[in-house]
Amino acid sequence: MIFPASLINFRRGVSGMNSFEYVVYTDGSCSGNPGPGGWAAIILLGEKEVELSGKAAATTNQRMELTAAVEALSHLPSGSAVRVYSDSAYLVNCFRQRWMDRWQKNGWRNSKGDAVVNRDLWLKLLELTGKRSVQWHKVKGHGDDQLNARVDRLARGAIRHDCPGAGTGESCPRPKNNQPSLKKNKAGGRIGILTGGGDCPGLNAVIRAVVKGAAHNYGLEVVGFNNGFMGLVENDAQVITDLAVSGILNRGGTILGTSNRDNPFDYKPQGSDYTNTGEDRSADALVNLDHWGITSLVVIGGDGSLLLAHRFSKLGVPIIGIPKTIDNDLPATDITFGFDSAVTTATEAIDKIHTTAESHHRVMVIEVMGRHAGWIALQAGMAGGGDIILIPELPFDLLCIADKIDERRNRGKKFSIIVVAEGAFPAGGEPLYEDRSGVRRLGGIGLLVSREIEKVIDMESRATVLGHLQRGGSPTSYDRVLATRFGVKAVELFSEKSFNRMVCLKGNSIGSVPLEEAVAGTKRVDPDSEQVRSAVAVGTSFGCRL
Ligand code: F6P
């Protein structure tokens, strides 16, 4: 795709993580007034592009021009920056000269006093442009602008070809010669999706799998709510196009944004302070789901987000859960995506700490995440050859740790590596919390172990907290594949109307379980498990007598 020079200095988007730089060409066409009409849009993002088109049985040219703009903008994320090119002077001038301000003041009457036609579409455009940074540009109709000529041909072509949205102005993908035949979808409607709770590598891979799986196999559209449950309450959402998920498989984070402080049942616009003093905004969420024509909501989250999803299922929202957390502590799945990536990051860190521990003959303590379960500490500790692994499931004894370090020293090993989960605590004690502006967060156990150990043995110690490093960066290949399998399964559940379930991994098979099972308790490390025994068998200490 060659860009016209005028597009090169494209304006940056509105602030926020959803800012993209889109160029959009729109056009409408109608034979008769009213008569059969078609609309089309070409959306460009960098070198990628998508074409949208649709038709209506009896309509007008202006209605088709407006529909093209509405459809194109609804496909772009909130917060994005967009340049719209149209040959409709009426549409472009309306926005450039703020006609709608006057219409609104005059009770939707134009300067002649007549009722403004197509008010529904103008209002929709007002809403869409309020959430995006849009610049309007007039192009010469039938001029030498190649993209305008193409979008014009598309709109005319749409009048002729059949599509499911005929007569409604609904989006209608252009048929391609090699397009696979679509599978039967019993559920109908649209899929909503959100990512809730702490982020982790693999979220984008799931979003991509849901969007592509839905479009390619069932011709379904997916609407993404931004920033977790906040987007659902505030109606901050957009259709996620194939284009928006292109190239995100290997990207960490989530293109939708997330939040672990937004509970629609106890809602505060500035984020929950966990005092149960917020407002119940669940009714707004239901209205918003309805507004987008969503027939099932896919919630990608850990224990907190899935509990909220479960509450919505009790209100009648058909839910599909996808388990996510680096902690791997959800009971109904063997593995959550994100875990393998976090373990890989922690293992690499332990490998690096190893070399400096050896050079300086020190005791090095590495604190990893894991609130109630020690999966990351156990897995990364074993993979990185940690000498001592401390997990919440096995309260530790400082003297036991000291014994292990001594035993190693007597064998000529002048350094030791301790891997400690953030939720680990001493026998008879409790987990350590930091109190930051009234919010209790786990933290500080690594430093405490390091300081205390120096007091009982004659060696220097240092502590490193890996923290959010474990949640960042690219997903591992394992997580990309697992996330893709989860996303595809979620769409399959949707198409079968198999709702209020969470997809899961059992052994190497993808399946699903009722949501009740998914939110029942925490999956913790079993101290009698073969994995713990294997670690002990190669000399690893858990800081206590096993
Ligand atoms: O649930 C995942 C987790 O990584 C926990 O292990 C950790 O305590 C928590 O998230 C931290 O969340 P945040 O700092 O983003 O609030």
Side-chain angles (χ1 to χ4, degrees):
M1 174 83 249
I2 299 167
F3 279 90
S6 59
L7 301 188
I8 290 171
N9 295 322
F10 198 80
R11 195 156 73 86
R12 287 238 142 241
V14 180
S15 65
M17 58 182 53
N18 302 321
S19 52
F20 296 109
E21 298 171 338
Y22 293 96
V23 173
V24 172
Y25 276 73
T26 65
D27 203 9
S29 174
C30 190
S31 45
N33 205 7
W39 62 265
I42 299 175
I43 303 175
L44 308 164
L45 176 67
E47 296 197 340
K48 298 169 203 152
E49 65 167 64
V50 269
E51 290 175 357
L52 303 169
S53 61
K55 76 172 188 178
T59 186
T60 61
N61 201 49
Q62 188 192 88
R63 209 164 164 82
M64 289 294 93
E65 293 283 3
L66 297 186
T67 302
V70 165
E71 288 290 333
L73 290 176
S74 338
H75 277 74
L76 307 181
S78 293
S80 49
V82 193
R83 273 187 185 214
V84 181
Y85 289 81
S86 163
D87 61 15
S88 162
Y90 198 72
L91 173 66
V92 173
N93 288 341
C94 175
F95 279 97
R96 294 195 127 184
Q97 297 166 16
R98 307 182 66 92
W99 294 353
M100 265 192 267
D101 291 355
R102 289 203 302 274
W103 293 346
Q104 274 175 320
K105 262 194 223 136
N106 298 337
W108 284 90
R109 305 228 151 243
N110 62 21
S111 49
K112 292 188 200 143
D114 299 331
V116 172
V117 287
N118 297 320
R119 181 171 155 185
D120 57 330
L121 293 173
W122 287 114
L123 281 170
K124 186 73 202 155
L125 275 176
L126 205 59
E127 183 194 324
L128 289 164
T129 51
K131 290 184 181 160
R132 293 155 185 81
S133 167
V134 184
Q135 288 185 347
W136 296 89
H137 296 271
K138 167 84 177 66
V139 284
K140 224 167 131 212
H142 313 292
D144 50 10
D145 189 316
Q146 287 185 10
L147 279 162
N148 177 248
R150 253 180 70 198
V151 78
D152 175 63
R153 278 198 301 277
L154 266 178
R156 286 165 199 273
I159 305 177
R160 287 189 299 277
H161 90 256
D162 281 335
C163 78
T168 61
E170 277 290 288
S171 164
C172 175
R174 285 207 315 152
K176 289 198 187 99
N177 294 340
N178 60 353
Q179 194 157 336
S181 61
L182 297 182
K183 291 180 203 156
K184 210 165 162 41
N185 155 41
K186 292 189 209 150
R190 274 168 158 177
I191 300 179
I193 192 169
L194 63 83
T195 51
D199 67 346
C200 77
L203 284 166
N204 283 329
V206 182
I207 298 169
R208 170 181 176 271
V210 171
V211 171
K212 284 183 180 275
H216 294 182
N217 298 307
Y218 304 99
L220 285 166
E221 264 187 344
V222 177
V223 173
F225 290 93
N226 299 321
N227 306 315
F229 285 95
M230 185 207 268
L232 189 58
V233 170
E234 307 285 358
N235 200 20
D236 184 6
Q238 64 284 310
V239 171
I240 314 178
T241 58
D242 220 59
L243 181 71
V245 295
S246 160
I248 66 169
L249 175 63
N250 59 348
R251 266 170 58 189
T254 156
I255 56 163
L256 288 174
T258 187
S259 151
N260 51 9
R261 292 188 62 185
D262 290 291
N263 174 353
F265 300 91
D266 175 24
Y267 191 76
K268 286 197 170 170
Q270 69 277 24
S272 167
D273 49 11
Y274 311 103
T275 53
N276 287 328
T277 49
E279 215 186 319
D280 183 352
R281 298 277 305 273
S282 54
D284 292 298
L286 300 186
V287 169
N288 296 335
L289 287 170
D290 202 43
H291 165 87
W292 287 95
I294 286 164
T295 40
S296 170
L297 181 66
V298 173
V299 174
I300 311 172
D303 49 1
S305 305
L306 291 171
L307 266 172
L308 293 174
H310 187 234
R311 284 185 76 173
F312 275 111
S313 74
K314 299 273 172 220
L315 296 179
V317 179
I319 295 285
I320 295 164
I322 302 187
K324 159 251 65 158
T325 165
I326 63 163
D327 292 356
N328 196 33
D329 57 358
L330 292 179
T333 183
D334 286 356
I335 311 276
T336 52
F337 72 87
F339 174 61
D340 187 65
S341 304
V343 167
T344 303
T345 298
T347 305
E348 280 167 8
I350 296 169
D351 286 349
K352 289 189 172 149
I353 296 278
H354 232 113
T355 58
T356 168
E358 205 165 357
S359 315
H360 284 270
H361 315 301
R362 282 172 174 159
V363 175
M364 299 298 275
V365 181
I366 299 133
E367 182 184 307
V368 297
M369 279 187 171
R371 276 177 294 178
H372 310 297
W375 294 108
I376 299 179
L378 176 63
Q379 197 80 358
M382 282 179 80
D387 306 300
I388 297 149
I389 298 175
L390 307 178
I391 57 177
E393 294 84 345
L394 286 166
F396 61 83
D397 175 350
L398 210 62
L399 294 179
C400 253
I401 300 176
D403 282 353
K404 178 69 192 175
I405 296 169
D406 260 342
E407 176 227 298
R408 282 177 53 79
R409 205 163 32 181
N410 294 337
R411 279 192 287 119
K413 297 281 193 179
K414 298 200 178 89
F415 72 95
S416 283
I417 303 282
I418 304 178
V419 181
V420 52
E422 62 183 344
F425 55 92
E430 47 186 50
L432 217 59
Y433 284 90
E434 295 171 339
D435 215 320
R436 260 190 276 158
S437 51
V439 179
R440 265 160 54 94
R441 288 213 178 85
L442 278 170
I445 190 66
L447 193 58
L448 184 88
V449 168
S450 170
R451 283 191 183 145
E452 292 302 311
I453 212 70
E454 275 189 336
K455 291 182 192 161
V456 285
I457 54 164
D458 179 25
M459 274 174 89
E460 250 190 313
S461 175
R462 297 283 189 275
T464 305
V465 181
L466 296 190
H468 293 80
L469 260 185
Q470 297 157 95
R471 296 226 306 243
S474 280
T476 55
S477 53
Y478 179 88
D479 275 338
R480 294 180 204 185
V481 173
L482 182 61
T484 303
R485 292 170 77 194
F486 277 170
V488 168
K489 181 70 186 176
V491 176
E492 206 176 293
L493 290 181
F494 176 88
S495 79
E496 291 164 356
K497 284 190 170 184
S498 212
F499 298 127
N500 303 331
R501 300 183 71 80
M502 182 189 84
V503 304
C504 64
L505 180 77
K506 294 279 182 201
N508 192 27
S509 299
I510 299 289
S512 70
V513 288
L515 264 186
E516 281 80 15
E517 230 176 274
V519 295
T522 304
K523 181 180 73 194
R524 308 187 79 208
V525 174
D526 173 3
D528 290 327
S529 62
E530 172 276 325
Q531 187 171 354
V532 172
R533 280 189 279 109
S534 295
V536 173
V538 294
T540 310
S541 163
F542 282 83
C544 60
R545 318 258 163 238
L546 273 180

